[in-house]
Amino acid sequence: MATTASTRRHFLTLLGLSAVSVSCGTTASGTPAAKDQTKTLRYQGWAGQVTLPELAEDLGYLEDVKLKWVGNTISGPQDIQSAATGQVDFGGAFNGAVVKLAANNAPIKAVISYYGADKYAYNGFYVLKDSPIRSARDLIGKKVGMNTLGAHSEAMLDIYLQRGGLSQADIDKVEPLVVPPVNTEQSLRQKQIDVAVLGGILRDKALETGGVRPLFTDYQLLGAFSAGTYVMTDRFLKQNPDTARTFVTAVGRAIEWSRSTPHDEVVDRMTQIVKKRGRNEDTAPLKFWRSYGVAETAGRITGKELKLWIDWLAERGDIKKGQVTLSDLYTNEFNDYKKSSAAKSGS
């Protein structure tokens, strides 16, 4: 499915969102009563992968809060749209997509970073070893396979092309295509696409097989950075503050557990999680997992990881300057990692 020039110029354009009505009991002071707050969080997963909330639940960090899987997604923008419209209770996406959704007046707030780029966790743009593609200019007229449009991979591609000196007219001739992650390597090897965006276990599996080489990576472009955040609606946070605190803090603890625990132990835990949930998934690629790539301790948001995309989208004309206020876009209010870790550091 090739994108048109118009699609590229309207990069990250998302659907309009409908408000959702949710009722909840409150105390006389207007604060939701603890007993009336939801203790079940609906969410979308990723096939063959263990998300941080899933890891946190398995480690017991979610305490009395339970996760309810409602299906899988391959798209961050779709996931946060589902959160904004109340189909799920939290969703995660590339920070540029979060900014764009907020610019479209979605009542969401980023609450914790959940993935990023470092020397272990990064997305690479791979070509076959004998491919003539060596530079940004070589991509003109070529097909680039990625998990979704209007998100992390398309942003990295645009930055690479811009830095390569391509005009907007030339950039519009590069064709990003949606390819399911599990099929991307095969599509590259069968020459259905010219470039494959591969990350994490799928990237390392392809590298082990051989015959591919990186054109560039997001880590090479921007260094270590937190790339995506989980969002919840303002309404959910107001009506379920204790549940939100438990969730965010648990995810923060899971991030730090994954950093401090030996690799083989983390992989074994993930493997058991995938087996227990019984979704007929292949666990073999999990051995390639190395890191979630979150830059800050416990996923705490600094603001710079969102401001980067506010400024970039404004420069491109995708949003107006001043359309998104950084301080309204995120909060660390619900991240109690330091306090909880002092009491429970051994778990």
Side-chain angles (χ1 to χ4, degrees), residues 65-81:
V65 174
K66 303 296 182 186
L67 297 180
K68 181 179 180 181
W69 177 71
V70 299
N72 285 331
T73 184
I74 63 166
S75 167
Q78 183 276 333
D79 199 28
I80 59 174
Q81 287 176 45

Side-chain angles (χ1 to χ4, degrees), residues 22-28 31-40 236 239-243:
V22 183
S23 60
C24 181
T26 59
T27 63
T31 303
K35 65 180 176 61
D36 293 323
Q37 294 181 41
T38 184
K39 294 295 183 180
T40 300
F236 185 92
Q239 296 179 338
N240 303 281
D242 299 330
T243 299

